[in-house]
Amino acid sequence: MTDANAARVREMFTRIARRYDVMNSLMTGGRHHAWRRLAADAVVDAPPGPILDLATGTADLALAVRAVRPASRVVAADFSEAMLHEARPKLARRGERRVRLLAGDALALPFRDRTFAAVTSAFLVRNLDDLAGGLTEMRRVVMSGGLVVTLDITRPTVVGWDRVFGIYFARVVPVLGALVAGDRAAYTYLPDSVARFTSPAGLAEAMRRAGLRDVRYRRAGLGTIAVHVGVA
Ligand SMILES: C[S@@+](CC[C@H](N)C(=O)[O-])C[C@H]1O[C@@H](n2cnc3c(N)ncnc32)[C@H](O)[C@@H]1O
């Protein structure tokens, strides 16, 4: 990602941080928590050790990971301080003391090689201009036998439903974004970024090229969500 692009993406997430959670619930009818639980369930099989939730946003996946890995500390990193600012009171309300919030860029992680038992991310990979670079960083910081788990939106393939989803996403979501978050541009970027992104099979191939093995994925949310898992 060029510096200018990265700055634009960071600025966009910074703008929408305060309305981010409510928009997720509205857009998905509350289903987004169940999808993060699918990603969290995948790390149950990771070796013992700390877990990195990358691009944690308001820390919902970090919390879902803690629920299934009570013995693991979680580092929850994001390059938007505004998102972390929203995460902080949420963690405090839950009395969560084993999630450490950290400002950091997915493309230049401030960790030594093989630090984590798993790296998770929800709704990040589609935002990375340098997908190969991001996956390589994830692979680098995971210990041997550890897991890289990604969750992101994907285009459904069922004929008919793909059109309905396309219309909802491209026409309705930007209007919701304008009305609720006051930011039509950010919620136009969202469907555009999904349209531009690779297929689930393409992401699986990119993960293999980054050095991960036994890569597998499953779709959920009527084919609109994909959870990928690769072993380091
Ligand atoms: C769509 S939000 C997802 C937040 C959270 N993971 C969730 O499940 O709701 C994408 C997040 O990725 C972060 N992000 C995007 N690119 C990043 C990068 N290169 N490094 C760190 N964070 C990044 C944004 O700041 C934003 O908080």
Side-chain angles (χ1 to χ4, degrees):
M1 184 176 280
T2 65
D3 288 352
N5 253 344
R8 261 197 298 276
V9 171
R10 182 166 50 230
E11 193 263 329
M12 182 190 74
F13 282 111
T14 294
R15 278 193 333 253
I16 62 172
R18 285 187 52 212
R19 306 301 282 166
Y20 178 77
D21 283 353
V22 71
M23 273 301 291
N24 277 350
S25 292
L26 264 178
M27 284 187 299
T28 68
R31 293 299 298 157
H32 59 115
H33 292 300
W35 299 333
R36 286 196 203 80
R37 281 197 294 274
L38 290 179
D41 284 347
V43 303
V44 170
D45 298 333
I51 291 177
L52 172 64
D53 181 42
L54 201 47
T56 195
T58 60
D60 280 342
L61 181 53
L63 283 164
V65 166
R66 282 279 302 133
V68 297
R69 294 270 300 210
S72 288
R73 290 184 178 278
V74 175
V75 176
D78 199 289
F79 71 3
S80 165
E81 296 270 6
M83 281 287 192
L84 298 176
H85 183 76
E86 296 300 314
R88 206 158 283 123
K90 188 186 285 183
L91 297 175
R93 276 196 304 276
R94 312 258 175 114
E96 179 55 77
R97 291 164 187 273
R98 288 169 72 90
V99 175
R100 180 163 71 96
L101 296 171
L102 184 88
D105 187 342
L107 298 180
L109 293 174
F111 306 110
R112 294 203 181 124
D113 295 359
R114 297 183 284 280
T115 300
F116 296 100
V119 175
T120 60
S121 69
F123 313 116
L124 165 68
V125 284
R126 163 178 50 81
N127 295 300
L128 294 171
D129 227 19
D130 183 2
L131 176 63
L135 293 171
T136 301
E137 271 296 83
M138 294 179 205
R139 161 80 182 79
R140 179 183 70 75
V141 299
V142 171
M143 59 184 72
S144 176
L147 303 179
V148 171
V149 179
T150 74
L151 159 69
D152 216 324
I153 307 167
T154 189
R155 301 177 297 276
T157 51
V158 174
V159 179
W161 167 232
D162 60 342
R163 274 183 63 78
V164 175
F165 175 77
I167 290 167
Y168 169 71
F169 221 41
R171 304 266 168 82
V172 180
V173 164
V175 174
L176 278 178
L179 292 175
V180 178
D183 203 321
R184 188 183 185 110
Y187 287 92
T188 302
Y189 165 89
L190 171 59
D192 287 352
S193 66
V194 173
R196 276 194 306 268
F197 195 53
T198 187
S199 63
L203 176 57
E205 186 50 33
M207 291 173 77
R208 283 183 205 104
R209 280 200 298 270
L212 295 162
R213 61 185 166 84
D214 300 337
V215 176
R216 62 187 192 278
Y217 65 87
R218 63 176 288 193
R219 299 181 83 132
L222 301 175
T224 63
I225 292 294
V227 177
H228 287 67
V229 181
V231 181

